[in-house]
């Protein structure tokens, strides 16, 4: 290619040194009669230049350069790919062989995703996470814990339920719809919160989302039998879930402090405690009215200051 470019340059230089010879004369004069191909004008060089650029683009494509710098390389690649496909089809027809693979239908621009497509406003990105957290705070301040639920995620191969955050909704939205609409956000947050236990779990049914009454962490920790978890479903299984607006629901994910192990609980398949209820060793409460009367009778007529001095 370098030698060809030098030859083109020498032809152009020779033509400028012999301006009296016109290219029309050379076109009519065969080479056998003394026509010298070096004596050409700049217009006759155009096919040579185009050919040189074409081969240069093919070489750059093979070396890994960007094909956008040489648009003709895309054409060269497409022609090569089409010729390869044609040869393969002719081989199959000749030998009566039918070879099919799922990769035959794969497009280079396609993205490999498991399960149904994720709504853009529920993808696990910073903008969506912050927005849903702000919605949770706003709904929580307006409605309190009545429209708030605790969220747990479980690996189907274990009986451990991991606390991953809290969810809130307006009164017109059911709990099932609120969870289903935010399922991708909750699931991805759980994977990143517990990377060792949950991140590697793949498949549509690999992880389950369960809910508990709002602010019930203490009852869950003590395995209260009246605190039962409820299993949730995805958006394609809950009617009307896809129509819920993001502003009508909220999710605030759990965040760990330094060296925090995370809150978890062991449950049965129906969401009930798998272990016996934990009985507290001591109970702190306010005294009743009768107890207050007894205390007043005991300290009646006594110097309280002196009692403390004696101690």
């Amino acid at each position: 290619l370098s030698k060809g470019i030098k030859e083109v340059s020498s032809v152009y230089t020779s033509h400028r040194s012999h301006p009296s010879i016109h290219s029309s004369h050379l076109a009519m004069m065969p080479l056998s009669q003394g026509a010298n191909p070096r004596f050409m004008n700049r217009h006759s060089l155009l096919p040579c230049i185009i050919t040189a650029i074409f081969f240069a683009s093919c070489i750059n494509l093979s070396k890994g350069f960007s094909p956008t710098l040489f648009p003709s390389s895309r054409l060269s690649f497409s022609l090569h790919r089409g010729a390869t496909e044609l040869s393969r089809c002719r081989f199959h027809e000749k030998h009566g062989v039918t070879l099919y693979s799922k990769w035959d239908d794969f497009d280079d621009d396609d993205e490999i995703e498991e399960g149904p497509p994720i709504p853009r406003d529920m993808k696990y990105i910073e903008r969506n996470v912050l927005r849903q957290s702000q919605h949770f705070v706003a709904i929580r301040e307006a409605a309190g814990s009545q429209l708030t639920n605790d969220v747990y995620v479980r690996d189907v191969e274990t009986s451990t339920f991991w606390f991953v955050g809290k969810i809130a909704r307006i009164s017109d939205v059911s709990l099932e719809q609120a969870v289903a609409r935010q399922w991708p956000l909750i699931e991805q947050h759980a994977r990143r919160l517990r990377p060792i236990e949950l991140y590697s779990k793949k498949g549509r049914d690999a992880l389950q989302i369960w809910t508990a009454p709002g602010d019930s962490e203490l009852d869950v920790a003590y395995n209260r039998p009246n605190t039962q978890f409820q299993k949730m479903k995805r958006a394609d299984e809950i009617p009307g879930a896809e129509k819920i607006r993001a502003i009508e629901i909220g999710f605030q994910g759990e965040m760990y402090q330094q060296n925090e192990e995370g809150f978890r609980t062991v449950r049965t398949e129906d969401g009930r405690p798998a272990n016996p209820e934990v009985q507290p060793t001591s109970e702190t409460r306010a005294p009743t009215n009768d107890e207050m009367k007894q205390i007043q009778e005991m300290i009646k007529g006594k110097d309280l200051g002196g009692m403390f001095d004696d101690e």
Side-chain angles (χ1 to χ4, degrees), residues 149-150 152 210-230 263 265-268 270-275 277:
N149 289 85
D150 298 344
Y152 295 81
W210 295 68
T211 59
D215 302 337
S216 60
E217 296 94 327
L218 188 60
D219 293 336
V220 173
Y222 282 108
N223 296 326
R224 305 288 191 213
N226 58 343
T227 304
Q228 184 178 2
F229 288 7
Q230 183 179 354
F263 181 60
T265 181
V266 179
R267 297 267 156 171
T268 60
D270 60 351
R272 297 184 182 276
N275 298 321
E277 181 179 0

Side-chain angles (χ1 to χ4, degrees), residues 179-242:
V179 174
R181 180 70 168 86
Q182 300 178 107
W183 186 289
L185 203 67
I186 299 173
E187 185 180 45
Q188 289 302 320
H189 181 76
R191 293 180 184 274
R192 288 161 172 77
L193 187 68
R194 308 298 311 183
I196 298 178
E197 296 85 1
L198 304 178
Y199 191 83
S200 61
K201 306 301 178 180
K202 303 297 181 182
R204 175 182 172 87
D205 299 327
L207 298 180
Q208 297 176 349
I209 296 180
W210 295 68
T211 59
D215 302 337
S216 60
E217 296 94 327
L218 188 60
D219 293 336
V220 173
Y222 282 108
N223 296 326
R224 305 288 191 213
N226 58 343
T227 304
Q228 184 178 2
F229 288 7
Q230 183 179 354
K231 186 179 179 181
M232 298 288 103
K233 297 180 180 180
R234 292 180 178 268
D236 55 354
E237 301 174 334
I238 302 297
E242 298 179 354

